[in-house]
Amino acid sequence: MAENIVYLELLRRGYDKDKIFYFKDEKHRETDFVIREDQGFEAIQVCWNIGRPEVRSREIKGLLIAMEKFNLKEGLVLDGHSKGEEKVNGKLIKIMPLDLWLLNKGKSDAEFVGPAGAADAVDIIFVRFRQIIIYDMGHIVNI
């Protein structure tokens, strides 16, 4: 389900569906999204809980394979709740909660100030960990 949310958001952000790919190598290591852009490629891995060691290993290995293949210095993991950065084999892996990525349109926390000129008080409603969160003009409200 999270992969579907990311795919739809990529389309909403204006990416051409013909430039969004799923990547898998001969050893079946996969990356959920490789996006071909004018200036190169972008790689995004999506999972619910990268905190579990076996999941972390699998997801980062898959992302690193795509990063090597497409000569990327940076990749993104979207997760249910984790946030951070780590260097692996000289490559930067950014980890961001899916909800924050959806709200920030990919910007860092420092850059995000909320939606400008939003017509409605409630801009985004989504479910996270069986909890409804409403993003309301710059504030996250748990219900």
Side-chain angles (χ1 to χ4, degrees):
M1 182 166 102
E3 288 88 351
N4 291 338
I5 292 169
V6 171
Y7 179 72
L8 291 173
E9 178 62 14
L10 290 169
L11 293 177
R12 192 189 71 72
R13 290 181 185 189
Y15 289 97
D16 184 337
K17 68 180 173 128
D18 295 329
K19 294 184 179 185
I20 302 171
F21 303 94
Y22 167 83
F23 176 79
K24 186 180 346 184
D25 74 355
E26 63 281 347
K27 294 182 182 178
H28 302 283
R29 295 172 293 194
E30 64 179 26
T31 301
D32 296 315
F33 299 97
V34 174
I35 304 155
R36 185 175 30 156
E37 301 179 279
D38 294 337
Q39 62 273 36
F41 291 87
E42 183 178 350
I44 302 174
Q45 192 73 307
V46 182
C47 66
W48 271 124
N49 187 356
I50 200 165
R52 294 185 9 227
E54 67 277 7
V55 172
R56 182 179 209 83
S57 175
R58 180 188 69 232
E59 299 295 335
I60 287 181
K61 280 180 186 175
L63 184 59
L64 286 170
I65 293 300
M67 291 170 69
E68 284 294 323
K69 173 77 175 170
F70 298 100
N71 197 29
L72 301 174
K73 294 179 181 166
E74 188 176 295
L76 176 64
V77 175
L78 298 174
D79 166 85
H81 63 279
S82 299
K83 183 176 171 186
E85 293 182 351
E86 62 183 80
K87 281 253 185 185
V88 181
N89 300 333
K91 307 246 182 225
L92 181 63
I93 307 289
K94 292 185 175 185
I95 302 168
M96 178 181 272
L98 175 58
D99 57 354
L100 187 62
W101 180 79
L102 289 167
L103 294 173
N104 288 358
K105 299 180 179 66
K107 297 177 183 174
S108 70
D109 289 343
E111 295 173 300
F112 183 63
V113 293
D120 298 324
V122 177
D123 296 295
I124 298 174
I125 300 174
F126 54 92
V127 177
R128 178 180 179 205
F129 300 116
R130 298 183 195 119
Q131 186 178 43
I132 296 177
I133 298 173
I134 299 177
Y135 180 74
D136 180 7
M137 296 302 288
H139 300 89
I140 292 179
V141 181
N142 293 322
I143 297 178

